[in-house]
Amino acid sequence: MKTKLFLSAWMVFLTAFTFAQTYTELSDDLWGQGINYTKPSFTDLDGDGLLDMIVGKEDGKLNHYEQAAAGSMTFNLMSEYFNGISAGEYSAPSFTDLDGDGLLDLVMGKSSGDLNHYEQSAAGSTVFTAMSDKFSGIDVGYNSVPSFTDLDGDGLLDMIVGEEAGNLNHYEQNAAGSATFNLVSENFNGIDVGYFSAPIFRDLDGDGLLDMIVGDINGRLHHYE
């Protein structure tokens, strides 16, 4: 039987394009299923207009949930071991299209500090193929958490990677469509949240400026614009 998952508001704002800056907690009992150190990432895997939520967790595997209906905050459990993928410990998934081929790339952080890379086998597929367990040769030490955006609008992806030490590592794609990223800074913007930084980007208020939300070991969310 599918298990229904009700999202709390902090997860909603990570994915919704919203103009509000005030958030109300809908649930303080999000998982209720023994999942620890959750790191969610949202995309539409199969192009059906329903969000898929891929959740990294302490055991390194990925849980897959799908939205019950468009606009719904109810998600149904599809798999507790998405694609048989495991990072070992502390999986932290992030989705983008690295090479512009219309296929999603899954770049996953893990406890060892490097990154795993998987690519969607076909457009709309929920099957991902392993490409590398040392994506772009990157290793940030321990507990890597990647997030993608284009900071300067130059058409090259920027990857900001959180780590155990609490700082943020900044890498930039070396060419459009490339799977190679070059280190720009090991201390992006001088930001340090203490321990276990976990960044994500959105434009929260629709002003055309990116907002960066960074989680930390204490469960706090740090907001930068």
Side-chain angles (χ1 to χ4, degrees):
M1 180 180 296
K2 293 180 178 179
T3 302
K4 290 187 175 180
L5 176 71
F6 294 91
L7 298 180
S8 64
W10 75 269
M11 289 188 56
V12 175
F13 87 73
L14 294 184
T15 58
F17 290 89
T18 177
F19 299 102
Q21 292 288 342
T22 301
Y23 300 90
T24 302
E25 185 176 41
L26 299 181
S27 170
D28 62 359
D29 188 22
L30 177 60
W31 304 112
Q33 307 200 26
I35 305 175
N36 295 319
Y37 297 94
T38 51
K39 296 209 171 49
S41 185
F42 292 84
T43 190
D44 182 358
L45 292 172
D46 51 8
D48 63 355
L50 302 176
L51 284 171
D52 296 273
M53 179 171 62
I54 307 299
V55 183
K57 49 187 180 171
E58 184 178 23
D59 67 4
K61 297 177 183 177
L62 300 172
N63 281 16
H64 175 202
Y65 302 86
E66 187 176 56
Q67 198 174 27
S72 173
M73 290 190 293
T74 300
F75 280 64
N76 297 321
L77 178 64
M78 308 301 289
S79 171
E80 293 182 344
Y81 197 4
F82 177 69
N83 265 263
I85 292 171
S86 177
E89 290 182 314
Y90 301 100
S91 50
S94 183
F95 290 90
T96 190
D97 182 358
L98 292 169
D99 51 8
D101 63 355
L103 302 177
L104 287 169
D105 295 273
L106 165 61
V107 177
M108 186 167 65
K110 49 187 177 176
S111 63
S112 57
D114 47 6
L115 302 167
N116 287 4
H117 176 207
Y118 306 84
E119 188 176 53
Q120 197 175 29
S121 62
S125 175
T126 58
V127 175
F128 281 71
T129 303
M131 306 299 289
S132 171
D133 60 0
K134 300 286 183 182
F135 176 69
S136 200
I138 291 169
D139 189 334
V140 299
Y142 296 100
N143 295 304
S144 51
V145 182
S147 185
F148 292 91
T149 191
D150 182 358
L151 291 171
D152 51 8
D154 63 355
L156 302 177
L157 286 169
D158 296 273
M159 179 172 60
I160 306 300
V161 185
E163 62 161 293
E164 184 179 63
N167 58 295
L168 299 172
N169 301 271
H170 177 199
Y171 299 85
E172 188 177 53
Q173 199 174 27
N174 73 345
S178 174
T180 300
F181 282 69
N182 300 319
L183 178 64
V184 177
S185 170
E186 293 181 343
N187 192 14
F188 175 66
N189 214 61
I191 292 170
D192 189 330
V193 299
Y195 292 100
F196 294 95
S197 51
I200 194 167
F201 293 88
R202 286 293 184 271
D203 179 1
L204 293 174
D205 52 6
D207 64 354
L209 303 176
L210 283 170
D211 296 89
M212 179 174 67
I213 309 297
V214 185
D216 71 15
I217 192 172
N218 296 308
R220 294 173 299 190
L221 299 172
H222 304 257
H223 178 204
Y224 306 85
E225 187 175 59

PDB file of all heavy atoms in Angstrom, residues 127-139:
ATOM      1  N   VAL A 127      14.331   5.744 -14.832  1.00  0.00           N
ATOM      2  CA  VAL A 127      15.543   4.929 -14.740  1.00  0.00           C
ATOM      3  C   VAL A 127      16.760   5.829 -14.944  1.00  0.00           C
ATOM      4  O   VAL A 127      16.831   6.586 -15.921  1.00  0.00           O
ATOM      5  CB  VAL A 127      15.536   3.799 -15.789  1.00  0.00           C
ATOM      6  CG1 VAL A 127      16.858   3.040 -15.753  1.00  0.00           C
ATOM      7  CG2 VAL A 127      14.362   2.866 -15.556  1.00  0.00           C
ATOM      8  N   PHE A 128      17.702   5.745 -14.031  1.00  0.00           N
ATOM      9  CA  PHE A 128      18.935   6.528 -14.110  1.00  0.00           C
ATOM     10  C   PHE A 128      20.141   5.592 -14.161  1.00  0.00           C
ATOM     11  O   PHE A 128      20.186   4.581 -13.451  1.00  0.00           O
ATOM     12  CB  PHE A 128      19.047   7.470 -12.914  1.00  0.00           C
ATOM     13  CG  PHE A 128      18.212   8.713 -13.041  1.00  0.00           C
ATOM     14  CD1 PHE A 128      16.829   8.642 -12.959  1.00  0.00           C
ATOM     15  CD2 PHE A 128      18.801   9.943 -13.264  1.00  0.00           C
ATOM     16  CE1 PHE A 128      16.043   9.773 -13.090  1.00  0.00           C
ATOM     17  CE2 PHE A 128      18.027  11.092 -13.399  1.00  0.00           C
ATOM     18  CZ  PHE A 128      16.639  11.003 -13.316  1.00  0.00           C
ATOM     19  N   THR A 129      21.100   5.955 -15.002  1.00  0.00           N
ATOM     20  CA  THR A 129      22.296   5.151 -15.211  1.00  0.00           C
ATOM     21  C   THR A 129      23.490   5.816 -14.546  1.00  0.00           C
ATOM     22  O   THR A 129      23.690   7.032 -14.684  1.00  0.00           O
ATOM     23  CB  THR A 129      22.573   4.985 -16.719  1.00  0.00           C
ATOM     24  OG1 THR A 129      21.432   4.393 -17.331  1.00  0.00           O
ATOM     25  CG2 THR A 129      23.800   4.118 -16.956  1.00  0.00           C
ATOM     26  N   ALA A 130      24.294   5.040 -13.839  1.00  0.00           N
ATOM     27  CA  ALA A 130      25.482   5.574 -13.182  1.00  0.00           C
ATOM     28  C   ALA A 130      26.501   6.031 -14.224  1.00  0.00           C
ATOM     29  O   ALA A 130      26.826   5.300 -15.156  1.00  0.00           O
ATOM     30  CB  ALA A 130      26.106   4.520 -12.274  1.00  0.00           C
ATOM     31  N   MET A 131      26.991   7.255 -14.065  1.00  0.00           N
ATOM     32  CA  MET A 131      28.002   7.811 -14.962  1.00  0.00           C
ATOM     33  C   MET A 131      29.368   7.913 -14.276  1.00  0.00           C
ATOM     34  O   MET A 131      30.392   7.686 -14.881  1.00  0.00           O
ATOM     35  CB  MET A 131      27.569   9.199 -15.438  1.00  0.00           C
ATOM     36  CG  MET A 131      26.175   9.246 -16.066  1.00  0.00           C
ATOM     37  SD  MET A 131      26.017   8.217 -17.543  1.00  0.00           S
ATOM     38  CE  MET A 131      27.018   9.164 -18.698  1.00  0.00           C
ATOM     39  N   SER A 132      29.359   8.282 -13.002  1.00  0.00           N
ATOM     40  CA  SER A 132      30.623   8.463 -12.287  1.00  0.00           C
ATOM     41  C   SER A 132      30.363   8.479 -10.791  1.00  0.00           C
ATOM     42  O   SER A 132      29.328   8.987 -10.335  1.00  0.00           O
ATOM     43  CB  SER A 132      31.278   9.789 -12.697  1.00  0.00           C
ATOM     44  OG  SER A 132      32.395  10.079 -11.872  1.00  0.00           O
ATOM     45  N   ASP A 133      31.294   7.935 -10.011  1.00  0.00           N
ATOM     46  CA  ASP A 133      31.210   8.063  -8.561  1.00  0.00           C
ATOM     47  C   ASP A 133      32.229   9.074  -8.048  1.00  0.00           C
ATOM     48  O   ASP A 133      32.447   9.209  -6.837  1.00  0.00           O
ATOM     49  CB  ASP A 133      31.405   6.710  -7.869  1.00  0.00           C
ATOM     50  CG  ASP A 133      32.744   6.076  -8.155  1.00  0.00           C
ATOM     51  OD1 ASP A 133      33.552   6.667  -8.903  1.00  0.00           O
ATOM     52  OD2 ASP A 133      33.000   4.982  -7.619  1.00  0.00           O
ATOM     53  N   LYS A 134      32.828   9.829  -8.985  1.00  0.00           N
ATOM     54  CA  LYS A 134      33.767  10.906  -8.641  1.00  0.00           C
ATOM     55  C   LYS A 134      33.501  12.078  -9.577  1.00  0.00           C
ATOM     56  O   LYS A 134      34.372  12.519 -10.330  1.00  0.00           O
ATOM     57  CB  LYS A 134      35.216  10.438  -8.783  1.00  0.00           C
ATOM     58  CG  LYS A 134      35.614   9.266  -7.902  1.00  0.00           C
ATOM     59  CD  LYS A 134      35.780   9.666  -6.445  1.00  0.00           C
ATOM     60  CE  LYS A 134      36.246   8.496  -5.599  1.00  0.00           C
ATOM     61  NZ  LYS A 134      36.358   8.852  -4.168  1.00  0.00           N
ATOM     62  N   PHE A 135      32.285  12.599  -9.544  1.00  0.00           N
ATOM     63  CA  PHE A 135      31.873  13.629 -10.491  1.00  0.00           C
ATOM     64  C   PHE A 135      32.843  14.804 -10.509  1.00  0.00           C
ATOM     65  O   PHE A 135      33.102  15.440  -9.489  1.00  0.00           O
ATOM     66  CB  PHE A 135      30.466  14.122 -10.141  1.00  0.00           C
ATOM     67  CG  PHE A 135      29.972  15.258 -10.995  1.00  0.00           C
ATOM     68  CD1 PHE A 135      29.687  15.050 -12.324  1.00  0.00           C
ATOM     69  CD2 PHE A 135      29.807  16.522 -10.453  1.00  0.00           C
ATOM     70  CE1 PHE A 135      29.232  16.093 -13.124  1.00  0.00           C
ATOM     71  CE2 PHE A 135      29.357  17.567 -11.235  1.00  0.00           C
ATOM     72  CZ  PHE A 135      29.069  17.353 -12.570  1.00  0.00           C
ATOM     73  N   SER A 136      33.411  15.051 -11.687  1.00  0.00           N
ATOM     74  CA  SER A 136      34.337  16.160 -11.939  1.00  0.00           C
ATOM     75  C   SER A 136      35.532  16.168 -10.987  1.00  0.00           C
ATOM     76  O   SER A 136      36.196  17.198 -10.832  1.00  0.00           O
ATOM     77  CB  SER A 136      33.592  17.501 -11.856  1.00  0.00           C
ATOM     78  OG  SER A 136      34.300  18.520 -12.509  1.00  0.00           O
ATOM     79  N   GLY A 137      35.806  15.024 -10.340  1.00  0.00           N
ATOM     80  CA  GLY A 137      36.934  14.918  -9.424  1.00  0.00           C
ATOM     81  C   GLY A 137      36.769  15.733  -8.155  1.00  0.00           C
ATOM     82  O   GLY A 137      37.737  15.968  -7.420  1.00  0.00           O
ATOM     83  N   ILE A 138      35.549  16.124  -7.853  1.00  0.00           N
ATOM     84  CA  ILE A 138      35.287  17.009  -6.712  1.00  0.00           C
ATOM     85  C   ILE A 138      35.227  16.208  -5.413  1.00  0.00           C
ATOM     86  O   ILE A 138      34.610  15.150  -5.349  1.00  0.00           O
ATOM     87  CB  ILE A 138      33.967  17.779  -6.928  1.00  0.00           C
ATOM     88  CG1 ILE A 138      34.139  18.796  -8.068  1.00  0.00           C
ATOM     89  CG2 ILE A 138      33.504  18.473  -5.637  1.00  0.00           C
ATOM     90  CD1 ILE A 138      32.840  19.406  -8.530  1.00  0.00           C
ATOM     91  N   ASP A 139      35.860  16.753  -4.381  1.00  0.00           N
ATOM     92  CA  ASP A 139      35.798  16.169  -3.043  1.00  0.00           C
ATOM     93  C   ASP A 139      35.921  17.309  -2.044  1.00  0.00           C
ATOM     94  O   ASP A 139      36.952  17.987  -1.991  1.00  0.00           O
ATOM     95  CB  ASP A 139      36.929  15.157  -2.842  1.00  0.00           C
ATOM     96  CG  ASP A 139      36.788  14.361  -1.545  1.00  0.00           C
ATOM     97  OD1 ASP A 139      36.155  14.877  -0.600  1.00  0.00           O
ATOM     98  OD2 ASP A 139      37.322  13.241  -1.474  1.00  0.00           O
TER      99      ASP A 139
END
